[in-house]
Amino acid sequence: MSSPFPITGSVTLHARFEPVNVPHATQEPFWVRALLITVALLFLTLFLVVPLVSVFVEAFKKGWGAYIAAIIEPDAVSAIKLTLLTAAIAVPLNLVFGVAASWVIAKFDFRGKNILLTLIDLPFSVSPVISGLIYVLLFGAQGWFGPWLREHDIKILFGVPGIVLATVFVTFPFVARELIPLMQAQGSEEEEAALVLGASGWKTFWYVTLPNIKWGLLYGVILCNARAMGEFGAVSVVSGHIRGETNTIPLQVEILYNEYNFQAAFAVASLLAFLALVTLALKSFIAWRLRDETSGGKSHGSLHTLQS
């Protein structure tokens, strides 16, 4: 009986089943890879390394003594203290909000979840200057609450409260946005097991959820702190630029630069540059730990702690 699929010509049945050598999608020619790597390195050198190096070169251009004098100048010291105070208030508030929001979004289903996610992302889509202007419209002399605040002698704008509020607004997505995907990927199996073992809600969070998210939480806190210390637009609108009182480090740098005091401006700016380098190092370390824990699988040691 003849085959319904006759083999003609030089094609054989054996040849039809030989594997086809298909090149891998990422196996580009060497010259293509070399070109792309060179372009990337040149871009990073031009737009990242050179500006960063120039900040420190200009900061120490007149020597170590001039650098220290610029840092300990009273207005600079006041700006440093205000920046640290603002970060010390804004970061813990965002930590609490980020953990609570990510817990609710990742562990529960409820109406309005998408609205909450949209509100969390709002500072990413609104210009910091616009967010600062919103607080002016709310708490300014002609704002919605301005007359009431004036009657009760409460000062929000052009003071620490306004700076903190503006900083909290522009930084609150960082912790939540780091934790939400992490907690969603981890699921709720361990929490359910802890509840079955008789753990309360607080114990479940403290001994199960928190150990699983500690590195992601630290990652978000570091990014939040870096943004809080380096924020310019929103703080510039609500601060009033009062020297020695409401200027943070970025605002102090702007004032010094506009006054053509370049060495002092770069000296103060080097503090933020150093913060950026420390943030980058910590960020890389935490990202490595996150990858290490993810590749190793989830640990159930917290459940053994509850059982004991």
Side-chain angles (χ1 to χ4, degrees):
M1 186 175 180
S2 60
S3 172
F5 303 102
I7 301 175
T8 59
S10 60
V11 179
T12 63
L13 183 63
H14 176 71
R16 293 173 59 190
F17 294 97
E18 289 182 352
V20 180
N21 185 18
V22 180
H24 196 273
T26 58
Q27 289 181 350
E28 299 292 344
F30 174 78
W31 69 269
V32 174
R33 287 177 287 170
L35 178 61
L36 293 176
I37 294 173
T38 303
V39 171
L41 291 177
L42 288 176
F43 183 88
L44 291 175
T45 301
L46 182 61
F47 293 99
L48 181 62
V49 177
V50 172
L52 187 61
V53 172
S54 66
V55 169
F56 290 97
V57 170
E58 292 294 330
F60 291 95
K61 192 173 184 178
K62 295 183 179 180
W64 181 258
Y67 178 84
I68 296 298
I71 296 298
I72 63 175
E73 194 266 335
D75 289 344
V77 172
S78 174
I80 294 171
K81 290 181 178 179
L82 180 58
T83 302
L84 295 176
L85 175 63
T86 302
I89 298 174
V91 173
L93 291 176
N94 284 322
L95 186 151
V96 174
F97 168 80
V99 172
S102 57
W103 171 275
V104 170
I105 292 173
K107 305 298 182 180
F108 302 98
D109 290 323
F110 56 93
R111 291 183 179 180
K113 179 187 286 191
N114 291 332
I115 296 177
L116 180 57
L117 283 170
T118 302
L119 293 176
I120 290 175
D121 291 335
L122 186 63
F124 287 147
S125 4
V126 177
S127 168
V129 175
I130 300 301
S131 64
L133 182 61
I134 292 173
Y135 286 107
V136 173
L137 296 177
L138 288 176
F139 305 116
Q142 306 301 323
W144 290 2
F145 305 107
W148 183 87
L149 293 173
R150 187 170 56 253
E151 290 176 2
H152 293 78
D153 195 23
I154 300 176
K155 185 178 182 181
I156 293 182
L157 292 183
F158 311 140
V160 176
I163 295 174
V164 170
L165 286 174
T167 304
V168 168
F169 179 83
V170 298
T171 57
F172 76 78
F174 286 93
V175 176
R177 266 303 170 191
E178 290 299 327
L179 291 182
I180 290 173
L182 177 62
M183 297 177 73
Q184 287 176 335
Q186 290 176 348
S188 58
E189 292 83 1
E190 291 194 18
E191 284 81 0
E192 294 172 356
L195 293 175
V196 171
L197 292 172
S200 63
W202 172 250
K203 282 189 175 181
T204 300
F205 172 78
W206 189 257
Y207 291 105
V208 178
T209 304
L210 188 59
N212 287 336
I213 65 172
K214 61 181 183 296
W215 292 111
L217 179 61
L218 184 57
Y219 191 96
V221 167
I222 289 173
L223 295 180
C224 178
N225 181 72
R227 177 64 187 273
M229 289 190 176
E231 174 56 31
F232 178 84
V235 173
S236 177
V237 174
V238 302
S239 70
H241 294 267
I242 304 174
R243 298 190 69 156
E245 295 184 19
T246 63
N247 278 337
T248 58
I249 293 178
L251 301 183
Q252 180 68 12
V253 172
E254 181 196 30
I255 289 177
L256 292 173
Y257 193 85
N258 289 337
E259 293 176 350
Y260 300 100
N261 192 353
F262 299 127
Q263 193 276 332
F266 280 105
V268 178
S270 67
L271 298 177
L272 291 178
F274 178 74
L275 171 66
L277 293 175
V278 173
T279 301
L280 181 61
L282 292 175
K283 176 176 173 290
S284 301
F285 172 75
I286 295 173
W288 169 72
R289 289 302 303 264
L290 282 172
R291 288 195 301 268
D292 184 62
E293 288 193 358
T294 303
S295 61
K298 294 197 301 181
S299 172
H300 299 277
S302 54
L303 294 181
H304 294 302
T305 302
L306 286 174
Q307 287 177 321
S308 60

